[in-house]
Amino acid sequence: MKIVIGMALLLGLGSAGSFAEPACEPAVDVAESLNVNARSDCNYEKTGLNRVVHQMFKGKSAQDDSKSSLPADDSGVYREASSEKLVVQNARELSEARFQLLLRLGQNCPGGFDLTKEQYLPAGKGLELKLMYECIQALPDSVADDQE
Amino acid sequence: MKKALLPVLIATALPLTALADVTVYGKANVSLQNADEAGDTKIELLSNASRIGVKGEESITDGLKAIYLFEYQTEVDDGNTSSNQTFSQRNIYVGLQGSAGTIMAGNFDTPLKVAQEKVDLFNDLEGDMAAVVSGEIRAKNIVQYVTPKSFGGFAAAVAYITKEEDGVDDGISASLGYTAETFYLGVAVDQDVIGEDVDVARAVARVNIGPIQLGALYEFVDVGEEDSDGFLASAMWSISDAWALKAQYGESDAKLGAGLDNETMSVGVDYKLSKSTTLYSYYTTVENDPELSPSLRDDDYVGIGIDHKF
């Protein structure tokens, strides 16, 4: 009982600390934690076996898709469509969430990105903000050679 | 089964509309180790809880959704589980999640077990803290309530485990935790989960200070008139994005009971090849109380391995 009381006091002190959502962990680690409240905006559609399953549903194989992400134009860049999303509960969170998403896109796309679509979907009493984007990235030399 | 066929089977088993919220995941963790167990030495190839799973959610109404997870273990080293099956069941549940929280039922780790968070740095290896502590239970016939996300860093879970037997006390497991950016604190209790009149209490703390992660776990076990306890301490130093040094020590008389001590010590080095693939090496020693026959446990292990998450 002393342990429980002591930890309860510690938890009370701990509540003064900042709570931050953790970074997206591998899906297998999230599953092992049994955390049903894990952040829902982590996108695993492009990782591992999950990527293969999702692409099969979209009617194309992983191999085909990797080719389709290569440039159709001859501008020396290739583009890969993707999306990131966050749920916001009020107007104050909206601009902050949009900025956080844009920062995340910047991390995903070191060469920059184009916003292709901006969606707002109902999510309980709030809104889910979803940004779809394409990375702008210099074409690898080997691929550029193949295209020539 | 060919790997290429697996996504096809999973894909055909799932409704098209649900796919967007389905995640197929898994990991392969294999190590090659030299085991010195009570003087007998051998080289072993081990599969360390390699698994594959499917989890997802599907909206039912505005604010209410069904959630599920099915996870199976497979033995990468020799292909068969101890019961001669390709797959064995791990965590499995189905539930409902809304603004008031989550209710779920199935076969999964108790709140007390989950409360360990990331403190065990040698999880699923020979140095797993299960060698010295009790309460590492994946319970059958468990129903659990979890507080909603709106509680911020706080999370509480209460589980009821039915033994499905007349005259046998059912189990209760509960936990309360707080997660912040740099630390985690948790407490948990089990009552009649391991067995009748066996109660377990656990307190866990983890703190991250720059590249250093420190963890501690204390456990108290009450079996009828007999009390026992144990602890685990762990430390990890992330030298760089790729390299990490780990050490862990645990001591307890809770595992063996009757006042007999049991201890484990591990050190290890991790090298992260990518976000999903890690090479690791370790040395672990597990020792029982000298009053016991030395053949029971006086073991040393040295190993190298690979962990690939997909």
Side-chain angles (χ1 to χ4, degrees), chain A residues 7 10-11 19-20 22 25, chain B residues 114-121 153 177-187 203-210 212-218 232-236:
Chain A
M7 289 307 293
L10 281 174
L11 289 173
F19 165 66
E25 295 183 87
Chain B
V114 172
Q116 69 176 269
E117 214 237 11
K118 299 171 184 172
V119 166
D120 185 359
L121 300 177
Y178 180 79
T179 306
E181 197 168 349
T182 55
F183 69 90
Y184 162 80
L185 294 170
V187 288
V204 187
R206 171 185 56 80
V207 61
N208 290 71
I209 307 164
I212 308 287
Q213 175 184 309
L214 302 174
L217 179 147
Y218 175 77
L232 182 92
S234 64
M236 179 167 67

Side-chain angles (χ1 to χ4, degrees), chain A:
Chain A
M1 182 56 79
K2 285 178 183 173
I3 299 166
V4 175
I5 293 170
M7 289 307 293
L9 288 172
L10 281 174
L11 289 173
L13 291 172
S15 63
S18 64
F19 165 66
E21 287 209 298
C24 288
E25 295 183 87
V28 66
D29 292 341
V30 176
E32 182 161 25
S33 74
L34 285 183
N35 181 4
V36 293
N37 293 324
R39 54 185 295 183
S40 57
D41 57 323
C42 295
N43 187 351
Y44 298 109
E45 285 185 25
K46 293 171 67 180
T47 58
L49 188 57
N50 200 44
R51 172 172 169 259
V52 177
V53 174
H54 278 263
Q55 287 176 340
M56 290 187 76
F57 263 86
K58 290 172 185 168
K60 52 188 177 181
S61 70
Q63 192 175 9
D64 289 339
D65 189 71
S66 66
K67 285 179 180 172
S68 71
S69 69
L70 297 178
D73 57 34
D74 52 0
S75 61
V77 299
Y78 73 92
R79 297 164 185 274
E80 190 171 73
S82 191
S83 67
E84 293 279 355
K85 58 187 179 181
L86 276 176
V87 174
V88 296
Q89 300 295 337
N90 54 53
R92 190 164 48 84
E93 288 180 7
L94 182 58
S95 59
E96 174 68 19
R98 192 171 192 280
F99 180 64
Q100 291 299 328
L101 282 179
L102 291 172
L103 282 180
R104 199 182 296 171
L105 305 196
Q107 291 167 356
N108 294 346
C109 306
F113 58 89
D114 285 335
L115 272 186
T116 55
K117 198 171 184 180
E118 189 166 339
Q119 275 188 342
Y120 296 86
L121 306 169
K125 292 179 180 176
L127 282 174
E128 179 183 282
L129 167 58
K130 186 173 185 180
L131 300 182
M132 278 152 275
Y133 65 100
E134 292 177 346
C135 289
I136 303 169
Q137 197 166 341
L139 196 63
D141 291 342
S142 58
V143 178
D145 293 343
D146 292 343
Q147 293 224 324
E148 288 173 355

Side-chain angles (χ1 to χ4, degrees), chain B residues 79-122:
Chain B
N80 286 328
T81 65
S82 55
S83 55
N84 210 30
Q85 300 292 315
T86 303
F87 295 106
S88 60
Q89 195 165 318
R90 289 177 57 86
N91 287 324
I92 289 192
Y93 64 73
V94 63
L96 289 172
Q97 187 171 54
S99 58
T102 303
I103 186 87
M104 53 204 272
N107 174 86
F108 51 87
D109 296 342
T110 62
L112 182 125
K113 180 181 179 186
V114 172
Q116 69 176 269
E117 214 237 11
K118 299 171 184 172
V119 166
D120 185 359
L121 300 177
F122 293 86

Side-chain angles (χ1 to χ4, degrees), chain B residues 259-299:
Chain B
L260 295 172
D261 284 332
N262 189 22
E263 64 180 54
T264 179
M265 189 275 291
S266 299
V267 291
V269 180
D270 287 357
Y271 178 69
K272 192 169 278 197
L273 290 171
S274 71
K275 192 175 180 182
S276 56
T277 307
T278 302
L279 299 177
Y280 60 88
S281 60
Y282 58 89
Y283 167 75
T284 291
T285 177
V286 183
E287 278 188 58
N288 293 151
D289 193 293
E291 288 182 33
L292 291 171
S293 163
S295 63
L296 186 60
R297 205 87 206 255
D298 181 11
D299 310 331

